[in-house]
Structures are given as C-alpha cells and as structure tokens.
Amino acid sequence: MPNIKSAKKRVKVIAAKTMHNKAVKSNLRTVLKKADIACTEKADNSEAAIRLAMKKVDQAAAKNIIHKNAAARKKSQLAKKLNSAKA
C-alpha cells in the first residue's frame, strides 16, 4: 500500500475507473451479442439492434475503452451481418 496521500488517491481513482470501464465493456459485449442474435434470427428489430451496437462501439472508442481500429473492425462486422440478414 502507498504511504503518500496522492498515491493513495490514485489507487482509489484507478479502481473506480477500472470498475467503470469493466461495466462499459460488459454492456458492449451484451449489446453486440444481442445484435448478432437478432441478425441470425432475421428479427424485425435487427436494424435497430445493429444501430444501437454501432453507437455503443463508437462511444467505447471515444472514451478509449477499446481501440479505434477494434471499433472500426466491429462496426464493419456488424454491417456485414446486417447486409447478409437483409439478403
């Protein structure tokens, strides 16, 4: 454990940020899974699910929770799934 006051605060802040980032990543995975299921089942709400998933991916990339190239790759995969579901 740190002895210096500022180091103690950093430990607390980092723990809080880690918990927040974990929650965002978990929610992102859930939304991506729901979008994937909607596309494979060719549900009526698949386009809305994909749109929501893309929004969440963009938000995570904007906050540097995931890398911008990873976000672009995920969005590309989602678009591909949506196009195959429509066809």
Side-chain angles (χ1 to χ4, degrees):
M1 279 298 293
N3 294 326
I4 298 169
K5 186 177 182 180
S6 61
K8 289 179 184 178
K9 181 179 178 184
R10 291 306 312 157
V11 168
K12 282 185 180 178
V13 169
I14 289 168
K17 284 186 174 189
T18 301
M19 292 299 293
H20 178 262
N21 289 345
K22 269 188 182 178
V24 171
K25 275 187 182 179
S26 176
N27 186 28
L28 179 63
R29 283 192 293 266
T30 302
V31 169
L32 288 171
K33 197 179 292 185
K34 285 182 181 177
D36 185 41
I37 290 169
C39 281
T40 55
E41 293 178 354
K42 296 186 179 183
D44 297 333
N45 65 343
S46 61
E47 194 167 337
I50 294 287
R51 192 177 301 119
L52 176 67
M54 284 189 177
K55 180 181 177 184
K56 293 289 183 183
V57 167
D58 282 336
Q59 287 174 341
K63 298 284 185 180
N64 288 326
I65 294 172
I66 61 172
H67 195 271
K68 65 177 187 168
N69 291 352
R73 186 175 64 247
K74 286 184 189 302
K75 286 174 65 176
S76 175
Q77 290 169 347
L78 286 167
K80 204 183 265 190
K81 286 177 187 173
L82 181 64
N83 289 337
S84 67
K86 283 183 178 178

